[in-house]
Amino acid sequence: MPFLNRLLRPFTTSTHLSLNPEAAAQNFPPNAQKCTVAAGCFWGVEHLFRKHFDGKGLLDARVGYIGGDSKNPSYRAVCSGRTGHAESLQMTFDPAQLSYGTLLQFFYKMHDPTTKNRQGMDSGTQYRSAIFYHNEEQEKEARDVTEKAQKQWWKSGTISTEILPAGEWWDAETYHQLYLENNPGGYECPAHYVRSFPPLS
């Protein structure tokens, strides 16, 4: 059963392991921006964003931890629910090709933001829905898109997505990066699929 794959997955003893983001950043255009979101198990979140935006302005996508007060957290610690961190995705994108608003609209299509601290069978604050903005313009757009998504897409429930300033980011362990690409058939949260909502107006 896929869910058991997640439960029985071995924990690494290492903490956050860098994939050399400094070297990767040298290849980014000077106007590159970051978009950081949490939407449940980060394996499926990364997989869906990469699948839909690869070659369309998405320059990088990394899974990790943000939103808590624990330094250099391990996956085991985050899973305990005691660090305050959320399993998250931090993307680097080219705004000349891909807008922040487009990423946020996709975010609200690919998970259920009305289930507080839960996606599918995964429950706990580490699986909460959140947008971590990097500047005032992103905050304004996040609130605007969220309001529209509530009125037009998620009318039957209440969006519980937190909108917070992005604090310190911690890369997840190396084996979590590109997990579903490296492990076809690995666990995917059943709440992670793209809804066929009409465009927001």
Side-chain angles (χ1 to χ4, degrees):
M1 290 179 286
F3 184 56
L4 289 180
N5 292 340
R6 180 173 174 82
L7 290 177
L8 300 176
R9 179 177 62 216
F11 290 107
T12 181
T13 57
S14 62
T15 53
H16 93 295
L17 301 175
S18 173
L19 297 182
N20 197 13
E22 292 80 13
Q26 294 176 5
N27 298 320
F28 297 157
N31 65 330
Q33 297 181 18
K34 292 186 184 300
C35 173
T36 304
V37 297
C41 175
F42 50 23
W43 293 347
V45 181
E46 178 194 31
H47 184 68
L48 282 176
F49 272 96
R50 283 187 179 275
K51 179 179 178 181
H52 285 266
F53 295 109
D54 182 42
K56 301 176 183 178
L58 181 65
L59 305 174
D60 189 37
R62 312 177 63 75
V63 297
Y65 316 116
I66 193 172
D69 52 14
S70 177
K71 297 289 185 181
N72 199 28
S74 67
Y75 179 76
R76 182 188 293 272
V78 172
C79 279
S80 75
R82 295 191 295 268
T83 67
H85 288 295
E87 290 194 18
S88 304
L89 178 70
Q90 186 164 94
M91 295 167 279
T92 304
F93 65 99
D94 181 352
Q97 302 180 58
L98 177 63
S99 73
Y100 184 66
T102 295
L103 290 170
L104 293 187
Q105 288 190 42
F106 185 79
F107 165 77
Y108 278 120
K109 286 182 177 181
M110 58 72 55
H111 82 298
D112 184 348
T114 69
T115 53
K116 187 175 178 64
N117 296 329
R118 179 171 60 84
Q119 288 297 307
M121 295 174 285
D122 301 326
S123 63
T125 58
Q126 67 269 32
Y127 300 117
R128 65 189 182 272
S129 175
I131 299 169
F132 299 94
Y133 58 84
H134 292 269
N135 54 49
E136 291 182 0
E137 183 178 349
Q138 285 194 354
E139 179 186 12
K140 182 178 183 299
E141 189 151 16
R143 296 192 185 282
D144 182 57
V145 171
T146 300
E147 181 180 0
K148 290 179 178 179
Q150 177 68 80
K151 293 178 178 178
Q152 300 176 40
W153 289 350
W154 295 99
K155 292 177 284 187
S156 62
T158 300
I159 288 179
S160 64
T161 304
E162 299 177 347
I163 300 175
L164 301 167
E168 189 167 14
W169 170 265
W170 302 94
D171 277 345
E173 294 82 350
T174 301
Y175 72 92
H176 289 300
Q177 311 295 336
L178 293 167
Y179 184 84
L180 288 173
E181 180 174 319
N182 295 325
N183 298 274
Y187 172 77
E188 293 186 64
C189 176
H192 289 164
Y193 63 92
V194 183
R195 282 80 175 165
S196 57
F197 291 139
L200 291 177
S201 58

